[in-house]
Amino acid sequence: MSGKAFIDSNIFIYAYDTQDPRKQTAAFDLIRENTVDGSGVVSYQVVHEFFNFAFVKAASKVQPDDAQVLLEDVFRPLQMVPSSFSLVSIAIRLRDRYRLSWYDSLIVAAAQQGGCDILYSEDLQHGQQFGTVTVRNPFL
């Protein structure tokens, strides 16, 4: 992999969720690859969305001690795009230009601010480009 890759929350959710073993394996492998080679990027929004799923919506809800392990072992090694005034400003423009949902525009803005070439997500159109960021659905 040549550049940075932003990993959307749905990838982490599939890695944790056992309902679809094919997607779980693909998501786990993608996260591991981008963690090992140092190219993985996330935002705090991704972390928040994942833990909302893991605490509230998952069939097997995560326990606090396990959540701490996930935070340290899965999320800490990834590059983190912080929330900022600039991030929100970019997201506003992206939302208007591409007619994205608010939360998707924040994800794309974070991928751009993180200097990513790729945005791994199931929620956006595969192959769509937002400036230098290209969306890839890893489950196709």
Side-chain angles (χ1 to χ4, degrees), residues 1 28 104 109 139:
M1 182 171 296
F28 182 80
D104 286 346
F139 306 120

Side-chain angles (χ1 to χ4, degrees), residues 36-52:
V36 168
D37 72 10
S39 65
V41 179
V42 294
S43 63
Y44 286 100
Q45 175 187 346
V46 169
V47 177
H48 295 179
E49 288 178 1
F50 169 76
F51 280 113
N52 182 61

Side-chain angles (χ1 to χ4, degrees), residues 95-111:
R95 181 182 177 276
D96 180 55
R97 179 174 179 191
Y98 295 102
R99 301 210 178 271
L100 298 171
S101 75
W102 175 240
Y103 291 107
D104 286 346
S105 68
L106 285 166
I107 291 293
V108 173

Side-chain angles (χ1 to χ4, degrees), residues 30-96:
L30 183 91
I31 293 165
R32 183 179 56 221
E33 173 187 328
N34 286 278
T35 300
V36 168
D37 72 10
S39 65
V41 179
V42 294
S43 63
Y44 286 100
Q45 175 187 346
V46 169
V47 177
H48 295 179
E49 288 178 1
F50 169 76
F51 280 113
N52 182 61
F53 167 82
F55 286 132
V56 178
K57 299 177 182 177
S60 177
K61 302 201 180 9
V62 72
Q63 297 303 307
D65 288 343
D66 295 330
Q68 288 293 337
V69 170
L70 287 166
L71 185 63
E72 288 296 322
D73 293 350
V74 176
F75 290 105
R76 183 181 287 274
L78 299 167
Q79 299 171 50
M80 186 71 66
V81 175
S83 296
S84 67
F85 187 85
S86 173
L87 179 77
V88 174
S89 180
I90 292 167
I92 290 169
R93 289 192 302 274
L94 288 166
R95 181 182 177 276
D96 180 55

